[in-house]
Amino acid sequence: MKIVDVVVTPIAFEDPPLLNSAGVHEPLVLRCVVQLRLENGIVGLGECPGGEAETSRLLTAAQAMKGQDVFATTAARQAVHRALGNATTRVEERDSAWAPLEVAALDAQGKLVGRPVSDLLGGAVREAVPFSAYLFYKWAEHPALDGRPARSDAWGPALDPDGIVTQARRMIDVYGFGSLKLKGGVFPPADEIAAVKALAQAFPGLPLRIDPNAAWGVATSQHAARELVDVLEYLEDPAPGIEGMAQVARSTEIPLATNMVVSNLSHIRPAVEQGAIQILLLDHHLWGGLRRSRDLALLCQAFGIGLSMHSNSHLGISLAAMVHLAASVPELTYACDTHYPWNAADDVIRPGAVRIIEGSVPVPTGPGLGVELDEDVLARLHQAYLRSGRRRRDDTGYMRRVVPDYDATLPRW
């Protein structure tokens, strides 16, 4: 069955002022939605990070998909890599352009044969995929800038341990999450250690994680690990680089996780040789699709590396793809990350297909991804992208408009 057209639609949707080591989330998230059309009219859906550079690569890749057999994804991937130019783009850029196209192809395949994507990946080994509450330090509102009034949200501020505990309690009450992850690298490490300990006291027995996004140096990471040795399920990307992570790993019993220092296959060998990580966070957007991520799980099993799943701000198409992938990977034994509670209000899919119930998302059983595009919302979010004038994510630049002397250099402590 031939692919006759691929439509790429850049969109923008609202995001709260969530703080991280780079700065703060801007009022709008940039994403792209892919619609891959077959000769019989079936449409497969994909979603990925957006921005001018990402959209340009995706449009080039989309052209290479036309005329391809939707089932011949190996040949289609090779065509995409050739179109992007193996010598002129990094492997991560080629893989990230291919990923939403592969997801859309698998969605279309599933609709053709009447089976969910998880079946195309070998079958689901779990009926629902557990997720972790993703906690953020955050401002009470986006400040008034460029003539735009300040914009608050229902979550309110979270700038200290009490605020983080309150946020976690709401996440648990609304979504039933059974584990908690704090995005760190925002305040001095002592403050963030205190926040994790406050979570442990407020929610005894719940697995806890913190991700400083490489904002801590090796010595600071080692100190934090000593403080939290009996508290954390794992410690994610505390220090920069494979060598830095390896030094921390040698000094603590806490497993170290990453989505930063191991982001393509060339990183696996040095990370394993140096013992830098014990857990890898899968992300099909970064690793080149669902099947390559599924293969990566086997490689991690061979080296004794555990698996969780990374998230960035996303909507329901991406969440559905993440769920189908996680459902088909028996080696994935840690609850996955998701930003979905922060972004679900502006979803481009019709309600009901993906829901967080008691901390897990049931695997969609309909054909393909099991989701349906809401064309009206897609058009509205595309207009929001056009009106915004924004063409790339810039957490640091946005922070500096509020805090002019903000220094994003890492490690910070």
Side-chain angles (χ1 to χ4, degrees), residues 42-359:
I42 282 179
V43 176
L45 301 176
E47 178 196 333
C48 65
E52 188 171 46
E54 292 84 353
T55 302
S56 177
R57 286 192 293 270
L58 185 52
L59 287 168
T60 298
Q63 288 298 314
M65 293 291 286
K66 293 181 181 180
Q68 300 286 336
D69 183 338
V70 72
F71 286 97
T73 52
T74 301
R77 179 176 179 271
Q78 290 176 324
V80 164
H81 277 233
R82 286 194 300 269
L84 290 172
N86 290 344
T88 57
T89 56
R90 297 182 297 114
V91 63
E92 292 94 342
E93 293 171 341
R94 298 193 297 273
D95 283 343
S96 64
W98 163 247
L101 298 170
E102 188 224 32
V103 170
L106 289 169
D107 185 34
Q109 289 177 25
K111 291 171 179 175
L112 277 170
V113 301
R115 304 295 290 268
V117 164
S118 55
D119 282 0
L120 304 181
L121 299 175
V125 297
R126 47 184 70 91
E127 294 181 354
V129 174
F131 283 84
S132 178
Y134 210 153
L135 310 177
F136 282 83
Y137 291 104
K138 69 179 292 291
W139 293 336
E141 60 187 16
H142 282 290
L145 291 170
D146 302 327
R148 185 189 66 234
R151 292 163 56 184
S152 61
D153 58 72
W155 289 90
L159 298 170
D160 56 24
D162 288 344
I164 291 296
V165 168
T166 298
Q167 186 184 108
R169 197 176 306 281
R170 180 176 177 184
M171 284 277 189
I172 292 170
D173 289 347
V174 174
Y175 297 102
F177 288 116
S179 60
L180 304 171
K181 171 178 171 175
L182 174 61
K183 177 66 77 178
V186 175
F187 294 113
D191 296 351
E192 297 185 352
I193 290 168
V196 173
K197 290 182 176 180
L199 289 170
Q201 184 174 2
F203 308 102
L206 261 64
L208 303 178
R209 316 155 182 181
I210 184 170
D211 173 18
N213 276 141
W216 300 345
V218 170
T220 301
S221 299
Q222 291 170 333
H223 168 73
R226 288 191 295 271
E227 288 288 314
L228 298 173
V229 67
D230 297 322
V231 178
L232 290 180
E233 178 185 32
Y234 63 69
L235 175 57
E236 182 182 341
D237 283 312
I242 289 175
E243 292 184 3
M245 290 280 285
Q247 291 181 61
V248 179
R250 287 193 291 270
S251 67
T252 182
E253 298 175 2
I254 302 174
L256 298 193
T258 189
N259 76 281
M260 294 177 66
V261 304
V262 178
S263 59
N264 65 57
L265 289 175
S266 69
H267 301 151
I268 295 284
R269 180 171 179 173
V272 169
E273 289 177 342
Q274 297 182 47
I277 66 166
Q278 290 73 52
I279 299 164
L280 180 65
L281 277 65
L282 293 175
D283 189 332
H284 74 273
H285 304 90
L286 303 177
W287 283 90
L290 302 181
R291 287 197 171 115
R292 287 176 67 81
S293 297
R294 182 68 185 82
D295 292 343
L296 181 64
L298 297 177
L299 182 61
C300 289
Q301 183 185 40
F303 290 115
I305 296 172
L307 291 172
S308 184
M309 184 174 284
H310 172 253
S311 167
N312 210 319
S313 302
H314 64 86
L315 297 177
I317 298 172
S318 279
L319 180 58
M322 293 162 65
V323 169
H324 282 288
L325 172 62
S328 70
V329 179
E331 299 86 2
L332 196 154
T333 56
Y334 294 91
C336 303
D337 293 347
T338 180
H339 286 63
Y340 196 63
W342 298 110
N343 303 127
D346 253 350
D347 209 347
V348 291
I349 63 170
R350 297 193 182 279
V354 289
R355 297 173 297 156
I356 302 173
I357 302 172
E358 296 183 357

Side-chain angles (χ1 to χ4, degrees), residues 2-6 36-41 65-68:
K2 297 296 183 184
I3 299 166
V4 296
D5 194 20
V6 180
L36 182 151
R37 186 176 300 277
L38 304 185
E39 55 189 323
N40 68 347
M65 293 291 286
K66 293 181 181 180
Q68 300 286 336

